[in-house]
Amino acid sequence: MEKVLLSGNEAIARGAYEAGVLVCSAYPGTPSTEILEAMPQYSEVYCEWAPNEKVAAEVAYGASIAGVRSLCAMKHVGVNVAADPIFTAAYNGVKGGFIVVSADDPSMHSSQNEQDNRHYARAAKMAMVEPSNSQECLDFVKEAFEISEKFDMPVLFRITTRVAHSKSIVTMGERAVPEIQPYEKNAKKNISTPANAVQNHAKVEKNLAELKAYGNTCKLNKVEMAGTKIGVVTASIAYEYAKDAFPEDTSFLKLGLTNPLPMELIRDFASKVEKLYVIEELDGFMEEQIKAAGIECEGKDKIGYLYELNPQLIKERIFGEKPEAVDLGVEAVSRPPALCPGCPHRGFFYTMAKKKNVVLTGDIGCYTLGSAPPLNALDSCVCMGGGFSVGMGIAKALELTGQEKKIFGVVGDSTFFHSGITGAVEIFYNNGNIIPIVLDNSITGMTGHQDNPGTGYNLQGEVAEAVKIEEVLKACGFENVIIVDPQDLDAMKKAVEDAENSEQRSAIIARRPCVLIKRINHNFGKCEVDKDKCIGCKMCIGVGCPAIMMKDGQSEIDTAQCTGCTVCAQVCPVDAISRK
């Protein structure tokens, strides 16, 4: 068997391949993105980027109904978007095994919240499997498909950022495709009318009870006895942390199947140790259930409910062991994220930041950074698509309270296809005093340059029919769709003013490709400062480009970063900056 170094995400893709999966669908979102990015190497598997997580779940579940094994993947907040089909799929059951990968993000490294998606498994009444390293990611995916088919239910395959991105040695196996069952119409199982759902709910409860009994003996849950003084119940990456933090004579009950919890196994393990701890990240998901079963344990009262764990933190909070620290005598410089040099969004946000009496509602993506100093342009950022619909709510509220402000709603091109189209329809249908703006940089930027329905390429890198945003906006009712290059500040300003003053329903597309797209010839140049002209006014600093700095009272441009976009040159009042 070949041994390779794989991340957890890559191992999940390999496990799905070995398990005989035929259909995979996802919407990119850190920390889950690389699962689908690793799939095109397996030509036997159909894989795609879906417009959003709900669509991804529905495509994968449709394949399951047709009798083949399927998988959809998303980050934790994506499960919120996909919850509707997932909950119903749990009632209907599966034909081919169906896995939903949820990649949670403790400490919110790239997310707007820290929700613990283990609760989804309980709420939706489906199995949940949690690996703790790359080898388990591969092995547990294969076992999860078996569980899905054996107990007729979807499986929530829950990982965290550390499991997704950490790399370890993995032993690979061979692909084995289960016998394909011909599609058969089954209205009672697949049509979720109230009459069918009533019967299916009873079936779900029966299957859950059988799964719970299975959990007491299944190979995903294992006891590691080393002593009787301390016992630890744990799962996922918290197991790896706890193994490092607790003494060598600590016994462990490592759970891989965590919904439903194998309470008989836990009770038996607890009876063999003097002190029982439950070590888990985020919420007390396991601890609360264990205590409710009358089993004494400790955990969250010491560990807490916030952020990622690590071995040193566990040592400190459980045993009071303070880490040894070395005073280096210097403080690390704060380096907050910023829009890249040459980012096409910079000209748009600079333009909007200069406008008075406006509200600019933002969205999830690179353009969220338009909220950071010195631009300080955004007023809100809630969720995918919220740039339009949250803006609509603000517009209506200000209108009803007599506050005269102009509202602009912003989404990116990928977000427009994800959940912005319905927001655009909302604005038009309910006569919103808001101008929708799509920042089209021709890629899904923040998650690492995945294609979307507007880029003209699919997940395999093949040419695909591109959906034209301007045609969609016109179809939604916006007669005046203004397309503008956001790095042309005069044109950008005029586009905003034209949209404001137009008698037609207007929308704006600020279109310029991301400077990091490799397949585009960007014709980069470099900007330079004429020191004889520079008056040190710092106007160029106001555009927020990382390539610009002040040195000896004058501006200076780092040519290693500059792309020659000229936004800084356009704001210079004395023409001290020019493009080479």
Side-chain angles (χ1 to χ4, degrees), residues 190-206:
N190 297 327
I191 300 177
S192 194
T193 59
N196 290 338
V198 166
Q199 297 180 47
N200 287 337
H201 186 190
K203 177 195 68 176
V204 169
E205 298 297 345
K206 176 178 178 293

Side-chain angles (χ1 to χ4, degrees), residues 5-51:
L5 185 66
L6 296 179
S7 69
N9 282 342
E10 292 168 332
I12 289 171
R14 178 68 192 189
Y17 167 75
E18 291 184 15
V21 71
L22 288 181
V23 175
C24 293
S25 185
Y27 181 81
T30 307
S32 70
T33 307
E34 296 84 3
I35 298 171
L36 262 286
E37 287 183 332
M39 290 307 304
Q41 64 182 300
Y42 306 120
S43 59
E44 302 94 327
V45 182
Y46 168 77
C47 51
E48 64 169 33
W49 290 128

Side-chain angles (χ1 to χ4, degrees), residues 34-323:
E34 296 84 3
I35 298 171
L36 262 286
E37 287 183 332
M39 290 307 304
Q41 64 182 300
Y42 306 120
S43 59
E44 302 94 327
V45 182
Y46 168 77
C47 51
E48 64 169 33
W49 290 128
N52 65 27
E53 295 88 354
K54 179 178 183 289
V55 173
E58 290 164 344
V59 167
Y61 184 54
S64 170
I65 290 174
V68 305
R69 289 184 169 181
S70 61
L71 176 148
C72 61
M74 58 204 72
K75 68 182 296 173
H76 63 295
V77 289
V79 181
N80 301 335
V81 179
D84 195 2
I86 290 171
F87 272 62
T88 300
Y91 264 44
N92 290 359
V94 305
K95 189 171 184 181
F98 174 45
I99 290 178
V100 179
V101 180
S102 169
D104 289 11
D105 192 19
S107 284
M108 298 162 282
H109 298 284
S110 57
S111 307
Q112 65 267 42
N113 69 33
E114 200 179 22
Q115 71 190 46
D116 188 334
N117 273 12
R118 293 179 296 174
H119 297 290
Y120 265 114
R122 288 192 77 193
K125 299 181 180 294
M126 61 183 184
M128 178 166 59
V129 171
E130 295 187 75
S132 64
N133 56 50
S134 296
Q135 184 66 62
E136 288 187 352
C137 283
L138 190 157
D139 296 338
F140 283 19
V141 162
K142 294 160 72 172
E143 187 66 23
F145 278 115
E146 297 291 337
I147 290 171
S148 177
E149 291 165 353
K150 181 175 181 178
F151 296 97
D152 193 16
M153 65 176 65
V155 175
L156 186 70
F157 197 86
R158 190 249 187 183
I159 58 174
T160 64
T161 301
R162 294 301 159 204
V163 175
H165 292 161
S166 297
K167 290 196 172 188
S168 58
I169 297 295
V170 171
T171 301
M172 298 197 299
E174 299 297 325
R175 178 170 167 86
V177 180
E179 183 180 350
I180 304 300
Q181 305 174 53
Y183 173 74
E184 294 179 354
K185 189 171 182 176
N186 189 338
K188 186 173 290 188
K189 182 178 179 64
N190 297 327
I191 300 177
S192 194
T193 59
N196 290 338
V198 166
Q199 297 180 47
N200 287 337
H201 186 190
K203 177 195 68 176
V204 169
E205 298 297 345
K206 176 178 178 293
N207 290 344
L208 276 173
E210 293 175 358
L211 180 61
K212 188 172 184 178
Y214 169 80
N216 290 311
T217 58
C218 84
K219 61 184 178 182
L220 297 183
N221 300 328
K222 61 179 182 179
V223 175
E224 300 174 357
M225 290 301 300
T228 59
K229 188 175 181 181
I230 299 175
V232 175
V233 178
T234 187
S236 188
I237 195 66
Y239 165 76
E240 307 290 353
Y241 299 151
K243 287 286 283 187
D244 278 351
F246 279 82
E248 289 186 5
D249 61 348
T250 301
S251 293
F252 286 87
L253 172 53
K254 181 191 179 299
L255 299 179
L257 179 61
T258 51
N259 191 65
L261 285 178
M263 209 56 72
E264 289 182 22
L265 180 62
I266 295 170
R267 193 183 304 278
D268 179 69
F269 177 73
S271 70
K272 296 175 181 176
V273 296
E274 298 174 25
K275 181 80 172 178
L276 184 67
Y277 291 97
V278 180
I279 304 298
E280 54 189 326
E281 284 183 323
L282 301 181
D283 297 343
F285 176 82
M286 296 190 296
E287 181 182 347
E288 291 168 7
Q289 296 180 67
I290 291 169
K291 285 181 175 177
I295 302 170
E296 289 188 14
C297 61
E298 289 187 26
K300 284 299 164 185
D301 56 330
K302 296 183 179 294
I303 292 295
Y305 290 85
L306 303 178
Y307 317 132
E308 279 189 313
L309 297 179
N310 60 60
Q312 188 55 59
L313 186 149
I314 294 174
K315 287 181 182 179
E316 183 176 345
R317 295 184 180 177
I318 298 291
F319 303 111
E321 296 181 13
K322 295 284 186 180

Side-chain angles (χ1 to χ4, degrees), residues 479-499:
E479 300 168 287
N480 183 32
V481 178
I482 303 168
I483 301 174
V484 61
D485 180 351
Q487 287 185 350
D488 184 338
L489 297 186
D490 288 339
M492 188 70 250
K493 181 181 178 182
K494 184 178 185 300
V496 173
E497 291 172 349
D498 288 349

